[in-house]
Amino acid sequence: MSTHAPNESRVNSLRPQAPSPGSGRAAGAPRRPVGAPQPCPPREPLWRDLVGDVLRRERLAQERTLKDVSEAARISMPYLSEVERGRKEASSEVLAAAAQALGLGLADLLLLAGDQLARHARSRVVRSRTSPTSPTSPTAQYDGFCLAA
């Protein structure tokens, strides 16, 4: 038998609960049983995410609006926004136009994105050296956790 009124519904918050003092974990967060699989290390970023990050960072560093850059590049503002957020895989022509509107060459844009990818790769190497599991052991991902293959 239910403990709430027949026409009432229960609402579960989608926001993470604040951790209780001294607990070290979010309130209501399930505890992982001993021997449970560990979360997988973060995946390599997608190229479109890296390029979008560079475009947005450069635009904000120049204190320019999305509208201003999209007009200068002759790209629709919604499309440029999606490129910056990594939602769209832009063509080289679009990337060159966006880079030029920001005073960059296509090579500059790609070098900056490549630098970000290299930093990510170096941080992965550092994490794998400090990780208790071997980075060379094959793993499969299941529901956000790594399992030995």
Side-chain angles (χ1 to χ4, degrees):
M1 180 150 232
S2 177
T3 60
H4 57 275
N7 290 331
E8 289 183 22
S9 62
R10 285 186 247 183
V11 177
N12 293 326
S13 173
L14 296 176
R15 294 181 185 194
Q17 300 294 320
S20 56
S23 71
R25 65 181 189 93
R31 292 190 176 168
R32 189 178 12 227
V34 175
Q38 297 296 315
C40 277
R43 291 182 179 171
E44 281 191 311
L46 297 174
W47 185 249
R48 67 178 184 239
D49 291 327
L50 296 170
V51 170
D53 286 344
V54 170
L55 287 172
R56 176 167 283 175
R57 205 174 44 241
E58 286 295 318
R59 178 177 62 80
L60 294 175
Q62 295 176 18
E63 298 180 353
R64 293 177 66 188
T65 65
L66 196 58
K67 182 179 180 187
D68 175 44
V69 174
S70 69
E71 287 174 354
R74 300 179 58 98
I75 301 169
S76 77
M77 190 170 60
Y79 188 74
L80 182 58
S81 173
E82 288 191 330
V83 169
E84 281 189 356
R85 290 181 288 138
R87 302 276 174 107
K88 295 289 184 187
E89 191 85 46
S91 68
S92 59
E93 291 87 357
V94 168
L95 294 178
Q100 185 177 9
L102 292 167
L104 301 171
L106 181 59
D108 300 322
L109 174 65
L110 300 181
L111 283 170
L112 290 168
D115 288 345
Q116 269 192 293
L117 184 59
R119 277 193 301 276
H120 175 79
R122 283 191 300 271
S123 70
R124 253 179 80 185
V125 168
V126 169
R127 280 193 304 258
S128 69
R129 287 182 184 160
T130 60
S131 172
T133 59
S134 168
T136 58
S137 63
T139 58
Q141 186 167 352
Y142 175 75
D143 199 22
F145 293 95
C146 285
L147 307 171

